[in-house]
Amino acid sequence: MESTKIILDENEMPQKWYNILPDLPNPLDPPLNPATNEPIKIEELEPIFAGELIKQELSSDRYISIPEEILDIYRMWRPSPLYRAKKLEDILKTPAKIYYKYEGVSPPGSHKPNTSIAQAYYNMKEGTERLTTETGAGQWGSSLSFACNYFDLECKVYMVRSSFEQKPYRKSLINLWGGSVVPSPSNETNFGRKILKEFPDTTGSLGIAISEAVEDAAINDNTKYTLGSVLNHVMLHQTIIGLEAQKQMEMAEDYPDIIIGCCGGGSNLAGISFPFIKDKLDGKSDVKVVASEPSACPTLTKGQFRYDFGDTAETTPLLKMYTLGHEFIPPAIHAGGLRYHGDSPIVSKLVDEGLIDAISYHQIEIFDAAIMFARTEGIAPAPEASHAIKAAIDEAVRCRKTGEEKTILFNLSGHGHFDMSSYDRYFSKKLSDD
Amino acid sequence: MESTKIILDENEMPQKWYNILPDLPNPLDPPLNPATNEPIKIEELEPIFAGELIKQELSSDRYISIPEEILDIYRMWRPSPLYRAKKLEDILKTPAKIYYKYEGVSPPGSHKPNTSIAQAYYNMKEGTERLTTETGAGQWGSSLSFACNYFDLECKVYMVRSSFEQKPYRKSLINLWGGSVVPSPSNETNFGRKILKEFPDTTGSLGIAISEAVEDAAINDNTKYTLGSVLNHVMLHQTIIGLEAQKQMEMAEDYPDIIIGCCGGGSNLAGISFPFIKDKLDGKSDVKVVASEPSACPTLTKGQFRYDFGDTAETTPLLKMYTLGHEFIPPAIHAGGLRYHGDSPIVSKLVDEGLIDAISYHQIEIFDAAIMFARTEGIAPAPEASHAIKAAIDEAVRCRKTGEEKTILFNLSGHGHFDMSSYDRYFSKKLSDD
């Protein structure tokens, strides 16, 4: 029987990230200072972000070298495997070929450490002693704690309350690697106290948690803020996924017709797709890229492409992106990592320009797809990643009907080992179909 | 920086298991029929076990070919990686070299599928339609459910009650792959009802759960029983771990002076060590093998080497093994997979003959070691596997004191993603030091 694993040799691991900014057909609209509506100045970002990350945010270099200290940590689990989903293809009776890149092999269990390691490293280099952040499902928070552990930084995580309650064990992971975590809104910031007073029963949101983490970084010494998605430098760091996948598809002597990622802030989709979108912009491929998002938080499918705040308290710069409005609080679906009102400005721009398609799914069909995947490919997927699975299954079923032998590649961004309570709710028919 | 991962090519994956029986210096004492005290006859085992597994249990063939259908499933995650624990060595300031084989990469997260896949396969071949088993921590139960899913078998798991309550999400995994699970003692068997009546508050034990699963298999049609450890054929299937590790140590141009595994029923220790013990018996090495067990269930360090029942209800054959007595019910420590009164007859024999050493540890020092490991090597280990980590750390510290540059190899038999509640108890200082 043929192999279904495509393993890239460690020596073949990419040494540079790919920056899509200089290749965009039209330049990004700049982030604006909400007080002046003028493009934000670098000095205004410096109290919050490490200098090197701001530089990367605005860089026009197509490739940026990955420092050896970051590669050293990446090598703990990278290159990540690419799988041919033969057993899933068989059960779907599809002529399509389905591949998936599996990012759940990282110790925190998702793609998030690709950027948390980089962000912690650059902050350490610049003398930062403490990092704050928000987290939805906890994948980002645990990944930042994991990264801070390696660079001797304190880590403080504001975790969206609904996830804090649904996913108690991602908190334990944060503690395991030495970080600390509170439910957001919390009593530890002015904004958190304000929200708690007005809406004591709120489930929280990423927008609120971002406001708290930014406030914490702004008022505390030697403290910077980090973001697990949305920003350009986060997309940059995640491109290692797609750069590896390109080499692995080459090993498989294949090339994707369709690339799929789930989409909350956009980073795992960006990671797998941007290197292939470069091929398309270079006229070398005609790949279709699909962002799969929850119907409960339909940023790309129902939102508007306009300037908006990244957070609820209106403390961030204005970003030009697809948004549901920065006061939008989505239902407490189990794909907590996809509950964000906005989206990456780059991903938004590419959607606006027709280079990325978007699709949305309801919660129960997502879990149906997750179960089918677990019973064929073996892996218990995260609810977030299951949005990509569902879209891949739909494409494969379409191929069954049309007879097309398309090559589908999706990003399995993380495992669901800390999401078992949502599976329990699914099996006991207690899951809402948001 | 040098690589710390040693990846074996899929083409190099062993195609045969190693059977230590013909190489034992002295033959095993046979299992006895408790009614007659005579060696058990094959016919007496046939109502409970698949014929091919009984054959393997008694085989004198040194190598047994692994069927292609089993290799096909193994290849989903095998060969498993071998790591050099450089970051752990650094923090310990030891001249020792520490390697670990990581079996947590399997979808159920431990070494257990190495045998569950084989057991399900042979049962399917012989027309079995339903398998029963017991499980402690749930690693075996989830692995059997995973295996039954691939061979279209029903799966019924009796899970030790203390683990059922401590580790709710291993139940969810069992359901994810289509198996069903009840806490043991249960109301579903005569023996379970008897125990519940006498000891309504019992935490359960592996001995009780085995009795229930055997009773279920004996009274239901087309149903066989499977065991996740202890028996010779289970040790056999696990040798793929050590056979891979031998090739990987060769790739690293090294050879272990000390091999360590945690020990409950003995299968992961057997798996990593038996191929190296063969080298020792062949006069090619002087490796020291160490079984690390909990002080709360000190089978090898405090038990007696004698005939005893494998279960509490006295339904199994008598096995010559180290035992604490089949009525022993250990405290509800979090390493639920190591709470067994007996041990593999082969491992017991090797301990008795001085070919394997045994050591025991209390619960809190095990978690101290687990945290040190998570903060250096990144992986959150299972409490069971952390017994091997602790013993490896102790050996490395001894080397620091003596200056010896020993090579230590241990088996990291599983991850702790479903054990986070025990980490929570550790961090909140609620962990007993059993």
Side-chain angles (χ1 to χ4, degrees), chain B residues 15-17 56 63-67 70 122:
Chain B
Q15 309 285 305
K16 293 173 181 183
W17 295 301
Q56 291 180 356
Y63 292 98
I64 294 177
S65 287
I66 309 175
I70 296 175
Y122 291 118

Side-chain angles (χ1 to χ4, degrees), chain A residues 270-388:
Chain A
I272 188 123
S273 67
F274 283 7
F276 291 95
I277 290 178
K278 177 178 190 304
D279 285 353
K280 183 166 183 166
L281 293 168
D282 291 347
K284 290 189 205 151
S285 99
D286 191 33
V287 66
K288 170 179 157 186
V289 176
V290 180
S292 181
E293 64 181 15
S295 301
C297 192
T299 315
L300 296 172
T301 48
K302 298 259 178 78
Q304 297 176 315
F305 187 46
R306 62 171 170 85
Y307 273 104
D308 194 9
F309 288 100
D311 71 329
T312 310
E314 309 186 348
T315 48
T316 70
L318 290 166
L319 298 173
K320 179 82 176 281
M321 60 183 176
Y322 276 91
T323 176
L324 295 161
H326 63 277
E327 286 173 335
F328 178 79
I329 296 191
I333 53 164
H334 288 273
L338 306 182
R339 292 174 75 244
Y340 185 56
H341 69 274
D343 217 319
S344 147
I346 306 180
V347 168
S348 297
K349 184 88 176 168
L350 292 170
V351 169
D352 188 57
E353 300 199 343
L355 284 156
I356 296 180
D357 295 344
I359 191 167
S360 74
Y361 291 106
H362 290 281
Q363 184 159 244
I364 289 179
E365 59 190 343
I366 289 303
F367 276 84
D368 290 340
I371 303 297
M372 178 184 277
F373 188 77
R375 292 185 182 175
T376 48
E377 295 301 308
I379 297 166
E384 292 82 2
S386 301
H387 286 73

Side-chain angles (χ1 to χ4, degrees), chain B residues 376-391:
Chain B
T376 48
E377 296 301 308
I379 297 166
E384 291 82 1
S386 301
H387 287 73
I389 296 172
K390 172 62 179 162

Side-chain angles (χ1 to χ4, degrees), chain B residues 183-231:
Chain B
S184 166
S186 77
N187 273 312
E188 307 200 7
T189 64
N190 290 326
F191 187 67
R193 285 185 288 270
K194 175 170 172 281
I195 294 280
L196 279 177
K197 201 169 159 194
E198 284 174 44
F199 311 101
D201 297 326
T202 179
T203 54
S205 72
L206 278 169
I208 295 170
I210 292 172
S211 298
E212 290 203 82
V214 170
E215 180 184 329
D216 180 328
I219 62 178
N220 284 298
D221 287 344
N222 297 319
T223 300
K224 301 273 186 195
Y225 167 72
T226 61
L227 191 64
S229 191
V230 179
L231 299 181

Side-chain angles (χ1 to χ4, degrees), chain B residues 108-251:
Chain B
S110 78
H111 64 294
K112 294 288 188 184
N114 296 332
T115 184
S116 72
I117 293 294
Q119 294 189 48
Y121 169 75
Y122 291 118
N123 269 287
M124 175 276 292
K125 289 283 280 184
E126 296 176 22
T128 306
E129 292 173 5
R130 181 171 173 271
L131 291 179
T132 69
T133 200
E134 75 294 332
T135 196
Q139 287 185 328
W140 168 242
S142 53
S143 299
L144 188 68
S145 177
F146 171 75
C148 285
N149 169 61
Y150 284 110
F151 297 110
D152 284 327
L153 299 167
E154 270 185 72
C155 173
K156 174 64 171 278
V157 180
Y158 293 86
M159 184 168 183
V160 176
R161 191 201 273 178
S162 59
S163 291
F164 191 89
E165 285 160 7
Q166 275 172 7
K167 312 197 179 198
Y169 297 136
R170 285 237 172 75
K171 294 181 301 198
S172 324
L173 266 190
I174 293 171
N175 294 328
L176 180 66
W177 288 308
S180 66
V181 52
V182 288
S184 166
S186 77
N187 273 312
E188 307 200 7
T189 64
N190 290 326
F191 187 67
R193 285 185 288 270
K194 175 170 172 281
I195 294 280
L196 279 177
K197 201 169 159 194
E198 284 174 44
F199 311 101
D201 297 326
T202 179
T203 54
S205 72
L206 278 169
I208 295 170
I210 292 172
S211 298
E212 290 203 82
V214 170
E215 180 184 329
D216 180 328
I219 62 178
N220 284 298
D221 287 344
N222 297 319
T223 300
K224 301 273 186 195
Y225 167 72
T226 61
L227 191 64
S229 191
V230 179
L231 299 181
N232 303 346
H233 65 272
V234 181
M235 308 297 128
L236 170 76
H237 302 151
Q238 293 296 353
T239 57
I240 191 160
I241 303 171
L243 292 166
E244 283 180 5
Q246 281 187 321
K247 295 188 179 195
Q248 288 163 310
M249 290 303 295
E250 212 170 284
M251 286 166 72

